[in-house]
């Protein structure tokens, strides 16, 4: 009877607690608060060092995200070499068997109780399971097939308190070189192998004792949760202080409960202060002036360019949105005098220099860069000048000049001037009798050229041939 009524009673208590909390505190976000998941958006956010490319990612850090389950990573990030998942709420090692290149896995400060499902991580060299709840020490034998594993950390786990713990691990994993930051000497390994049978029997007995203790701990926590339907008032400092000062056992269930309550309290505090999830104060975005004129706003802070295409008589707006951002997170709206684009709830608005046709505008997404390109035909037609206009077209353009503008053409005079020279009559211009050489200056005057007299100091050298 108790088994059949327990789920219904738990569900009733949970619904009663949530609805009462929402009604009394007027805090609706608590109704939709769920545990964080490993989403593509989260992975892309943590892969900025790789330009958002998750398929070629070699290192990924997802620490302190309150993740409860490892999922999707082996399908999205098969090239991972380093995976950091410390300080989460992960309770089971799973969904890692496709990561053939994984070399370092950090799962410290989680809720793991058993070592498993790492056999196919062929390149694994270092495994950190510090401060978990591993009590089944015999599960360490699942790491025998990881031949490259040389470093293992199990400090802070219940199994690390077992008598003969180190000797058992050293004898079980012959490839191991460092255990809990201490190197394994050859003499230690020989001694551990010699006492392996005796040590293993001792470990199994202690392991069974811990398993019984753990089962009682789970039952106690289950009954406590079943009989406790009290409402948490996040705005009551005394009640919250009483909860945090209460002495409780160290168990995965307690850690999950504390993380959940802490997250709800922080969300409530942010809601009361009007802050977003990053602790930033929410400020109302002003999109229009008091007289109704639109304003330019770039709330998501994305780079953009606005250019004019004279050939198609349109304005082209290019917004460099995130390459891997899903199209469902983008909403574009074109108005005659401005364009508004909503990117993941953040508004981008720009005032246009010319009026456009909203019904003729188009929006496209680049397949290579992911940029959003919006083409908007202008209402005002702009005539482009062509260098190859005909003579009649050029003449007709002069008639469009406003009155009073001098449209008379000016010609370059190339007739005979006073200083011009007619080379066809050059014979008539020269004197009929001209002795020696002569030069013509710029005014058609003949100037006689006289030879310079020979200097008295000149000495003629007969060996030098004469100038011709």
């Amino acid at each position: 009877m108790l088994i059949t009524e327990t789920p219904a009673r738990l569900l009733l208590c949970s619904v009663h607690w949530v609805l009462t909390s929402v009604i009394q505190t007027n805090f609706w976000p608590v109704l939709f608060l769920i545990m964080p998941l490993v989403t593509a958006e989260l992975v892309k956010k943590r892969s900025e060092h790789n330009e958002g490319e998750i398929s070629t990612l070699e290192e990924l850090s997802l620490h302190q995200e309150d993740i409860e389950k490892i999922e999707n990573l082996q399908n999205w990030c098969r090239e991972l070499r380093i995976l950091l998942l410390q300080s989460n709420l992960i309770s089971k090692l799973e969904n890692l068997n496709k990561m053939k290149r994984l070399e370092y896995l950090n799962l410290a400060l989680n809720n793991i109780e058993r070592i498993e499902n790492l056999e196919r991580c062929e390149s694994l060299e270092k495994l950190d399971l510090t401060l978990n709840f591993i009590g089944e020490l015999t599960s360490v034998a699942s790491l025998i097939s990881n031949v490259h594993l040389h470093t293992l950390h199990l400090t802070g786990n219940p199994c690390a308190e077992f008598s003969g713990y180190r000797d058992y691990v050293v004898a079980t994993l012959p490839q191991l070189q460092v255990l809990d930051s201490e190197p394994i000497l050859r003499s230690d390994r020989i001694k551990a192998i010699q006492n392996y049978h005796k040590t293993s029997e001792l470990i199994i007995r202690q392991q069974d004792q811990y398993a019984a203790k753990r089962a009682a701990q789970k039952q106690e926590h289950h009954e406590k949760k079943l009989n406790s339907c009290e409402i948490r008032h996040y705005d009551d400092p005394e009640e919250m202080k009483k909860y945090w000062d209460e002495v409780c056992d160290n168990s995965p269930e307690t850690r999950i409960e504390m993380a959940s309550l802490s997250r709800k309290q922080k969300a409530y505090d942010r809601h009361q202060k009007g802050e977003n999830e990053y602790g930033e104060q929410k400020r109302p975005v002003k999109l229009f002036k008091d007289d109704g004129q639109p304003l330019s706003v770039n709330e998501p802070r994305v780079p953009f360019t606005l250019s004019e295409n004279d050939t198609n008589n349109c304005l082209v707006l290019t917004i460099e949105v995130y390459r891997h951002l899903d199209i469902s997170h983008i909403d574009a709206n074109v108005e005659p005098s401005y364009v508004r684009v909503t990117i993941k709830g953040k508004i981008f608005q720009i005032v246009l220099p010319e009026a456009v046709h909203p019904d003729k505008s188009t929006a496209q997404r680049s397949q290579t860069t992911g940029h959003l390109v919006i083409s908007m035909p202008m209402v005002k037609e702009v005539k482009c000048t062509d260098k190859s206009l005909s003579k009649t077209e050029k003449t007709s353009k002069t008639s469009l000049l406003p009155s009073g503008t001098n449209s008379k053409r000016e010609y370059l005079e190339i007739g005979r001037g006073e200083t011009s020279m007619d080379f066809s009559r050059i014979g008539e211009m020269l004197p009929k009798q001209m002795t020696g050489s002569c030069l013509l200056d710029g005014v058609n005057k003949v100037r006689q050229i006289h030879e310079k007299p020979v200097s008295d100091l000149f000495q003629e050298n007969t060996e030098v041939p004469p100038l011709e």
Side-chain angles (χ1 to χ4, degrees):
M1 188 66 177
L2 179 62
I3 297 177
T4 56
E5 291 183 354
T6 297
R9 186 177 178 185
L10 277 175
L11 179 61
L12 181 61
C13 292
S14 301
V15 173
H16 176 265
W17 178 85
V18 170
L19 293 178
T20 311
S21 299
V22 170
I23 294 172
Q24 292 190 1
T25 63
N26 194 25
F27 180 44
W28 289 100
V30 75
L31 186 62
F32 307 101
L33 194 61
I34 58 175
M35 284 293 180
L37 303 175
V38 181
T39 60
E41 182 180 356
L42 175 61
V43 176
K44 290 174 184 177
K45 178 183 175 182
R46 293 300 186 95
S47 60
E48 294 178 352
H49 60 283
N50 199 43
E51 298 181 355
E53 287 283 351
I54 62 176
S55 60
T56 60
L57 200 61
E58 294 187 357
E59 180 177 350
L60 179 62
S61 177
L62 296 175
H63 63 281
Q64 296 180 348
E65 293 289 345
D66 288 347
I67 298 170
E68 286 192 346
K69 184 179 180 180
I70 304 174
E71 53 186 354
N72 301 323
L73 292 179
Q74 65 173 352
N75 297 323
W76 296 340
C77 313
R78 296 193 181 186
E79 302 296 323
L80 274 181
R81 296 181 181 273
I82 300 176
L83 179 57
L84 307 178
L85 292 169
Q86 66 269 26
S87 301
N88 283 292
L89 301 172
I90 300 170
S91 59
K92 185 178 181 180
L93 282 168
E94 57 184 343
N95 299 324
L96 295 171
N97 54 348
K98 294 182 182 179
M99 294 186 178
K100 304 297 183 180
R101 299 189 178 184
L102 187 63
E103 298 176 0
Y104 176 39
L105 177 59
N106 192 334
L107 283 160
L109 280 168
N110 277 279
N111 295 339
I112 298 172
E113 299 188 57
R114 190 176 189 274
I115 303 174
E116 56 186 342
N117 300 324
L118 294 176
E119 296 86 351
R120 296 188 180 180
C121 297
E122 302 168 357
S123 303
L124 188 62
E125 298 179 358
K126 186 177 180 180
L127 178 61
D128 193 344
L129 295 171
T130 305
L131 290 174
N132 277 271
F133 296 93
I134 300 175
E136 189 178 342
L137 186 57
T138 54
S139 63
V140 77
S142 64
L143 299 175
I144 294 177
S145 58
N146 301 99
V147 294
H148 299 289
L149 182 66
H150 57 73
T151 303
L152 177 63
H153 294 279
L154 292 173
T155 306
N157 285 274
C159 64
E161 304 295 329
F162 293 172
S163 178
Y165 146 76
R166 184 176 177 85
D167 290 342
Y168 180 82
V169 176
V170 170
T172 305
L173 302 177
Q175 75 275 28
L176 210 59
Q177 300 176 10
V178 179
L179 177 61
D180 298 336
S181 302
E182 293 185 10
I184 300 173
L185 302 178
R186 184 180 179 184
S187 58
D188 296 338
R189 192 180 302 279
I190 294 174
K191 181 181 177 181
I193 294 175
Q194 291 175 348
N195 299 327
Y196 177 73
H197 294 289
K198 182 180 179 180
T199 305
S200 60
E201 293 177 359
L202 180 61
I203 292 295
I204 292 174
R205 285 199 300 268
Q206 297 177 88
Q207 184 174 279
D208 294 340
Q209 294 175 2
Y210 174 78
K213 178 182 176 182
R214 180 77 183 96
Q217 192 179 50
K218 288 182 180 180
Q219 182 65 24
E220 181 181 356
H221 185 271
H222 176 74
E223 293 177 356
K224 181 179 179 182
K225 185 176 181 179
L226 185 63
N227 299 324
S228 174
C229 290
E230 55 182 339
I231 303 169
R232 302 292 181 189
H233 296 279
Y234 302 105
D235 56 345
D236 189 353
E238 294 184 0
E239 182 177 351
M240 298 308 299
K241 185 177 184 300
K242 180 182 178 181
Y243 173 81
W244 291 114
D245 291 343
E246 182 181 351
V247 179
C248 59
D249 56 348
N250 183 25
S251 65
E253 293 79 14
T254 304
R255 184 179 287 182
I256 293 175
E257 180 183 350
M258 293 174 64
S260 177
L261 182 61
S262 177
R263 188 167 54 255
K264 291 176 182 177
Q265 186 177 8
K266 289 179 181 178
Y268 175 79
D269 293 339
R270 289 195 301 265
H271 177 73
Q272 294 297 108
K273 295 178 182 178
E275 298 177 349
N276 58 14
E277 57 180 339
Y278 303 106
E280 299 173 349
Q281 192 72 27
K282 291 183 180 179
R283 293 178 297 177
V285 180
K286 189 175 182 180
L287 301 177
F288 298 94
K289 297 181 181 179
D290 296 336
D291 57 356
Q293 294 294 326
L295 295 173
S296 295
V297 178
N298 190 359
E299 192 179 7
R301 299 180 181 179
V302 290
F304 69 94
T305 55
L306 180 63
S307 58
E308 184 175 342
N309 190 337
D310 296 334
T311 305
N312 298 326
N313 188 31
C314 66
L315 295 175
V316 179
L317 174 63
T318 303
I319 304 177
E320 300 180 14
V321 297
Y322 200 58
R323 179 178 179 181
H324 298 282
L325 182 64
D326 192 84
I327 194 65
S328 61
H329 296 288
I330 303 175
D331 183 26
N333 182 24
V334 179
E335 297 294 339
S337 60
Y338 67 91
V339 180
R340 181 184 301 169
V341 180
T342 305
I343 304 173
K344 293 181 64 177
K346 296 184 179 181
I347 298 176
F348 171 90
Q349 180 172 294
I350 185 170
V351 181
L352 302 176
E354 296 288 344
V356 299
H357 293 285
D359 53 341
K360 299 180 180 179
S361 301
T362 59
Q364 295 179 342
R365 189 87 180 273
S366 174
Q367 295 182 353
T368 56
T369 61
H371 296 174
L372 180 66
V373 182
I374 303 177
S375 300
M376 301 160 286
M378 291 186 290
V379 176
K380 180 181 177 181
E381 294 185 0
V382 180
K383 295 183 178 180
C384 303
T385 59
D386 191 356
K387 295 182 180 179
S388 61
L389 288 175
S390 62
K391 192 172 184 179
T392 55
E393 289 176 338
K394 291 182 179 179
T395 307
S396 63
K397 284 183 178 295
T398 58
S399 63
L400 299 176
L401 295 175
S403 59
T405 304
N406 184 13
S407 60
K408 183 179 180 180
R409 297 193 178 194
E410 297 182 359
Y411 298 94
L412 178 64
E413 299 293 341
I414 57 175
R416 183 184 300 175
E418 296 180 355
T419 60
S420 62
M421 177 179 292
D422 188 357
F423 291 96
S424 63
R425 301 175 56 195
I426 193 170
E428 299 177 2
M429 297 171 60
L430 295 177
K432 294 182 179 180
Q433 296 180 356
M434 182 180 295
T435 58
S437 301
C438 68
L439 288 175
L440 294 177
D441 58 11
V443 291
N444 300 332
K445 294 181 180 180
V446 180
R447 182 164 57 87
Q448 188 71 27
I449 299 177
H450 301 280
E451 293 185 1
K452 187 176 181 180
V454 180
S455 174
D456 297 336
L457 300 176
F458 176 74
Q459 295 180 359
E460 185 176 0
N461 189 352
T462 57
E463 296 180 358
V464 178
L467 296 175
E468 296 182 357

mmCIF file of all heavy atoms in Angstrom, residues 56-75:
data_model
loop_
_atom_site.group_PDB
_atom_site.id
_atom_site.type_symbol
_atom_site.label_atom_id
_atom_site.label_comp_id
_atom_site.label_asym_id
_atom_site.label_seq_id
_atom_site.Cartn_x
_atom_site.Cartn_y
_atom_site.Cartn_z
ATOM 1 N N THR A 56 34.995 20.319 -34.563
ATOM 2 C CA THR A 56 36.463 20.192 -34.526
ATOM 3 C C THR A 56 37.036 20.592 -33.172
ATOM 4 O O THR A 56 38.249 20.774 -33.057
ATOM 5 C CB THR A 56 37.085 21.060 -35.625
ATOM 6 O OG1 THR A 56 36.715 22.433 -35.411
ATOM 7 C CG2 THR A 56 36.612 20.619 -36.992
ATOM 8 N N LEU A 57 36.184 20.715 -32.180
ATOM 9 C CA LEU A 57 36.621 21.158 -30.860
ATOM 10 C C LEU A 57 37.492 20.102 -30.197
ATOM 11 O O LEU A 57 37.165 18.914 -30.199
ATOM 12 C CB LEU A 57 35.394 21.442 -29.998
ATOM 13 C CG LEU A 57 35.567 22.331 -28.775
ATOM 14 C CD1 LEU A 57 36.039 23.716 -29.176
ATOM 15 C CD2 LEU A 57 34.260 22.434 -28.017
ATOM 16 N N GLU A 58 38.622 20.527 -29.629
ATOM 17 C CA GLU A 58 39.539 19.608 -28.959
ATOM 18 C C GLU A 58 39.544 19.787 -27.439
ATOM 19 O O GLU A 58 39.996 18.899 -26.727
ATOM 20 C CB GLU A 58 40.960 19.792 -29.501
ATOM 21 C CG GLU A 58 41.117 19.399 -30.956
ATOM 22 C CD GLU A 58 42.551 19.422 -31.415
ATOM 23 O OE1 GLU A 58 43.426 19.810 -30.604
ATOM 24 O OE2 GLU A 58 42.817 19.042 -32.574
ATOM 25 N N GLU A 59 39.063 20.904 -26.963
ATOM 26 C CA GLU A 59 39.016 21.155 -25.519
ATOM 27 C C GLU A 59 37.711 21.849 -25.182
ATOM 28 O O GLU A 59 37.308 22.807 -25.844
ATOM 29 C CB GLU A 59 40.204 22.024 -25.088
ATOM 30 C CG GLU A 59 40.213 22.319 -23.596
ATOM 31 C CD GLU A 59 41.440 23.120 -23.178
ATOM 32 O OE1 GLU A 59 42.361 23.281 -24.005
ATOM 33 O OE2 GLU A 59 41.478 23.596 -22.017
ATOM 34 N N LEU A 60 37.041 21.366 -24.140
ATOM 35 C CA LEU A 60 35.742 21.908 -23.750
ATOM 36 C C LEU A 60 35.631 21.928 -22.238
ATOM 37 O O LEU A 60 35.932 20.940 -21.571
ATOM 38 C CB LEU A 60 34.609 21.073 -24.349
ATOM 39 C CG LEU A 60 33.178 21.509 -24.013
ATOM 40 C CD1 LEU A 60 32.906 22.902 -24.528
ATOM 41 C CD2 LEU A 60 32.164 20.518 -24.583
ATOM 42 N N SER A 61 35.195 23.060 -21.698
ATOM 43 C CA SER A 61 35.018 23.224 -20.257
ATOM 44 C C SER A 61 33.555 23.555 -19.968
ATOM 45 O O SER A 61 33.044 24.595 -20.399
ATOM 46 C CB SER A 61 35.928 24.343 -19.731
ATOM 47 O OG SER A 61 35.713 24.544 -18.354
ATOM 48 N N LEU A 62 32.882 22.661 -19.249
ATOM 49 C CA LEU A 62 31.480 22.845 -18.859
ATOM 50 C C LEU A 62 31.346 22.758 -17.347
ATOM 51 O O LEU A 62 30.409 22.160 -16.826
ATOM 52 C CB LEU A 62 30.591 21.797 -19.530
ATOM 53 C CG LEU A 62 30.510 21.836 -21.060
ATOM 54 C CD1 LEU A 62 29.681 20.669 -21.576
ATOM 55 C CD2 LEU A 62 29.923 23.152 -21.535
ATOM 56 N N HIS A 63 32.265 23.350 -16.610
ATOM 57 C CA HIS A 63 32.243 23.272 -15.158
ATOM 58 C C HIS A 63 31.242 24.273 -14.585
ATOM 59 O O HIS A 63 30.927 25.296 -15.196
ATOM 60 C CB HIS A 63 33.640 23.557 -14.597
ATOM 61 C CG HIS A 63 34.137 24.939 -14.905
ATOM 62 N ND1 HIS A 63 34.650 25.278 -16.127
ATOM 63 C CD2 HIS A 63 34.195 26.055 -14.149
ATOM 64 C CE1 HIS A 63 35.011 26.538 -16.120
ATOM 65 N NE2 HIS A 63 34.735 27.045 -14.934
ATOM 66 N N GLN A 64 30.708 23.946 -13.408
ATOM 67 C CA GLN A 64 29.786 24.801 -12.653
ATOM 68 C C GLN A 64 28.550 25.187 -13.468
ATOM 69 O O GLN A 64 28.143 26.345 -13.510
ATOM 70 C CB GLN A 64 30.516 26.059 -12.169
ATOM 71 C CG GLN A 64 31.636 25.765 -11.192
ATOM 72 C CD GLN A 64 32.344 27.003 -10.712
ATOM 73 O OE1 GLN A 64 32.168 28.090 -11.265
ATOM 74 N NE2 GLN A 64 33.160 26.874 -9.690
ATOM 75 N N GLU A 65 27.963 24.201 -14.121
ATOM 76 C CA GLU A 65 26.736 24.439 -14.891
ATOM 77 C C GLU A 65 25.548 23.667 -14.328
ATOM 78 O O GLU A 65 24.480 23.660 -14.936
ATOM 79 C CB GLU A 65 26.956 24.045 -16.354
ATOM 80 C CG GLU A 65 27.940 24.919 -17.114
ATOM 81 C CD GLU A 65 27.395 26.305 -17.395
ATOM 82 O OE1 GLU A 65 26.161 26.501 -17.260
ATOM 83 O OE2 GLU A 65 28.186 27.196 -17.747
ATOM 84 N N ASP A 66 25.731 22.977 -13.184
ATOM 85 C CA ASP A 66 24.665 22.184 -12.561
ATOM 86 C C ASP A 66 24.110 21.121 -13.513
ATOM 87 O O ASP A 66 22.911 20.808 -13.506
ATOM 88 C CB ASP A 66 23.527 23.081 -12.069
ATOM 89 C CG ASP A 66 23.931 23.883 -10.842
ATOM 90 O OD1 ASP A 66 24.967 23.559 -10.242
ATOM 91 O OD2 ASP A 66 23.231 24.858 -10.500
ATOM 92 N N ILE A 67 24.983 20.556 -14.326
ATOM 93 C CA ILE A 67 24.578 19.517 -15.274
ATOM 94 C C ILE A 67 24.373 18.201 -14.521
ATOM 95 O O ILE A 67 25.210 17.816 -13.712
ATOM 96 C CB ILE A 67 25.643 19.336 -16.371
ATOM 97 C CG1 ILE A 67 25.802 20.643 -17.163
ATOM 98 C CG2 ILE A 67 25.286 18.193 -17.311
ATOM 99 C CD1 ILE A 67 26.974 20.639 -18.107
ATOM 100 N N GLU A 68 23.266 17.520 -14.780
ATOM 101 C CA GLU A 68 22.962 16.263 -14.107
ATOM 102 C C GLU A 68 23.266 15.036 -14.950
ATOM 103 O O GLU A 68 23.408 13.941 -14.422
ATOM 104 C CB GLU A 68 21.482 16.228 -13.693
ATOM 105 C CG GLU A 68 21.166 17.118 -12.504
ATOM 106 C CD GLU A 68 19.788 16.837 -11.960
ATOM 107 O OE1 GLU A 68 18.992 16.163 -12.648
ATOM 108 O OE2 GLU A 68 19.489 17.281 -10.841
ATOM 109 N N LYS A 69 23.374 15.233 -16.270
ATOM 110 C CA LYS A 69 23.566 14.076 -17.150
ATOM 111 C C LYS A 69 24.475 14.444 -18.312
ATOM 112 O O LYS A 69 24.339 15.519 -18.895
ATOM 113 C CB LYS A 69 22.205 13.591 -17.677
ATOM 114 C CG LYS A 69 22.292 12.338 -18.530
ATOM 115 C CD LYS A 69 20.906 11.910 -18.988
ATOM 116 C CE LYS A 69 20.974 10.642 -19.840
ATOM 117 N NZ LYS A 69 19.639 10.200 -20.308
ATOM 118 N N ILE A 70 25.401 13.533 -18.639
ATOM 119 C CA ILE A 70 26.263 13.721 -19.808
ATOM 120 C C ILE A 70 25.508 13.238 -21.032
ATOM 121 O O ILE A 70 25.128 12.060 -21.111
ATOM 122 C CB ILE A 70 27.582 12.937 -19.661
ATOM 123 C CG1 ILE A 70 28.309 13.344 -18.371
ATOM 124 C CG2 ILE A 70 28.477 13.166 -20.862
ATOM 125 C CD1 ILE A 70 29.544 12.502 -18.090
ATOM 126 N N GLU A 71 25.297 14.127 -22.000
ATOM 127 C CA GLU A 71 24.562 13.754 -23.201
ATOM 128 C C GLU A 71 24.995 14.634 -24.368
ATOM 129 O O GLU A 71 25.495 15.742 -24.184
ATOM 130 C CB GLU A 71 23.047 13.895 -22.984
ATOM 131 C CG GLU A 71 22.627 15.265 -22.465
ATOM 132 C CD GLU A 71 21.151 15.317 -22.115
ATOM 133 O OE1 GLU A 71 20.456 14.328 -22.393
ATOM 134 O OE2 GLU A 71 20.714 16.345 -21.578
ATOM 135 N N ASN A 72 24.832 14.079 -25.575
ATOM 136 C CA ASN A 72 25.062 14.771 -26.853
ATOM 137 C C ASN A 72 26.526 15.036 -27.184
ATOM 138 O O ASN A 72 26.863 15.250 -28.351
ATOM 139 C CB ASN A 72 24.308 16.107 -26.903
ATOM 140 C CG ASN A 72 22.816 15.947 -26.724
ATOM 141 O OD1 ASN A 72 22.231 14.982 -27.212
ATOM 142 N ND2 ASN A 72 22.193 16.868 -26.003
ATOM 143 N N LEU A 73 27.407 15.045 -26.207
ATOM 144 C CA LEU A 73 28.791 15.426 -26.471
ATOM 145 C C LEU A 73 29.496 14.436 -27.387
ATOM 146 O O LEU A 73 30.297 14.828 -28.235
ATOM 147 C CB LEU A 73 29.560 15.557 -25.150
ATOM 148 C CG LEU A 73 29.143 16.709 -24.237
ATOM 149 C CD1 LEU A 73 29.966 16.698 -22.962
ATOM 150 C CD2 LEU A 73 29.300 18.040 -24.959
ATOM 151 N N GLN A 74 29.227 13.152 -27.233
ATOM 152 C CA GLN A 74 29.912 12.158 -28.062
ATOM 153 C C GLN A 74 29.476 12.233 -29.523
ATOM 154 O O GLN A 74 30.182 11.736 -30.416
ATOM 155 C CB GLN A 74 29.659 10.755 -27.520
ATOM 156 C CG GLN A 74 28.201 10.316 -27.594
ATOM 157 C CD GLN A 74 28.030 8.873 -27.195
ATOM 158 O OE1 GLN A 74 29.006 8.148 -27.004
ATOM 159 N NE2 GLN A 74 26.788 8.430 -27.046
ATOM 160 N N ASN A 75 28.346 12.852 -29.800
ATOM 161 C CA ASN A 75 27.887 13.017 -31.186
ATOM 162 C C ASN A 75 28.330 14.348 -31.782
ATOM 163 O O ASN A 75 28.558 14.447 -32.982
ATOM 164 C CB ASN A 75 26.363 12.910 -31.246
ATOM 165 C CG ASN A 75 25.861 11.552 -30.813
ATOM 166 O OD1 ASN A 75 26.479 10.531 -31.103
ATOM 167 N ND2 ASN A 75 24.745 11.517 -30.101
#
